[in-house]
Amino acid sequence: MDERNYLYHAQLNLVKAFRPKISIIENVPGMRNAKVLVGDDAELRNEIENLWQALENYKGKKAALRKINKIDETFEAEGKALKKRKELLLKTFTKFTKLYLCCRRY
């Protein structure tokens, strides 16, 4: 797991604790489209975390396999299945859970 993917959590905790007038977070492309799950649905949060971890692991494995030219159809099928799970999960929590855009342009 790449801990850098979760640095914004620390920033949000600092903002919550110190309540500054302004807080700046680097606007990387992924954050523009990011959504924040609001609510206490632990089961849904766990499902999201597990899927995102599986996607990160897949990307790491794919990079390693690409270096040694060992990507096969079975591995590609695993990636397609993960992408399908992601699409279904996004539809599910977009439909049933209140979401807020993480970053807004002012």
Side-chain angles (χ1 to χ4, degrees), residues 17-47:
F18 294 104
R19 301 178 54 87
K21 289 182 181 181
I22 187 170
S23 173
I24 298 173
I25 299 175
E26 181 181 2
N27 190 14
V28 295
M31 289 181 70
R32 271 191 234 139
N33 299 323
K35 302 203 184 314
V36 176
L37 180 60
V38 177
D40 294 330
D41 189 338
E43 186 177 329
L44 182 57
R45 285 186 187 276
N46 286 336
E47 187 175 349

Side-chain angles (χ1 to χ4, degrees), residues 6 21-22 26 48 70 88 91 100 105:
Y6 302 96
K21 289 182 181 181
I22 187 170
E26 181 181 2
I48 292 167
K70 294 284 185 179
L88 291 172
K91 284 179 185 175
Y100 293 99
R105 292 183 180 192

Side-chain angles (χ1 to χ4, degrees), residues 7-106:
L7 287 175
Y8 74 95
H9 286 284
Q11 177 76 10
L12 293 175
N13 288 335
L14 289 170
V15 168
K16 186 176 179 181
F18 294 104
R19 301 178 54 87
K21 289 182 181 181
I22 187 170
S23 173
I24 298 173
I25 299 175
E26 181 181 2
N27 190 14
V28 295
M31 289 181 70
R32 271 191 234 139
N33 299 323
K35 302 203 184 314
V36 176
L37 180 60
V38 177
D40 294 330
D41 189 338
E43 186 177 329
L44 182 57
R45 285 186 187 276
N46 286 336
E47 187 175 349
I48 292 167
E49 278 187 34
N50 291 337
L51 177 57
W52 259 248
Q53 186 61 56
L55 286 164
E56 287 297 314
N57 291 341
Y58 178 81
K59 288 190 286 186
K61 288 178 193 174
K62 187 171 186 176
L65 290 173
R66 185 180 294 127
K67 287 180 184 177
I68 59 173
N69 200 23
K70 294 284 185 179
I71 297 175
D72 61 13
E73 290 180 21
T74 304
F75 186 77
E76 288 290 343
E78 179 185 344
K80 288 178 183 176
L82 286 170
K83 285 177 110 176
K84 186 70 173 174
R85 271 181 62 200
K86 177 183 172 184
E87 290 170 11
L88 291 172
L89 185 60
L90 285 170
K91 284 179 185 175
T92 300
F93 79 73
T94 299
K95 190 174 181 180
F96 297 110
T97 308
K98 188 175 183 180
L99 297 170
Y100 293 99
L101 287 177
C102 180
C103 303
R104 295 183 187 178
R105 292 183 180 192
Y106 293 98

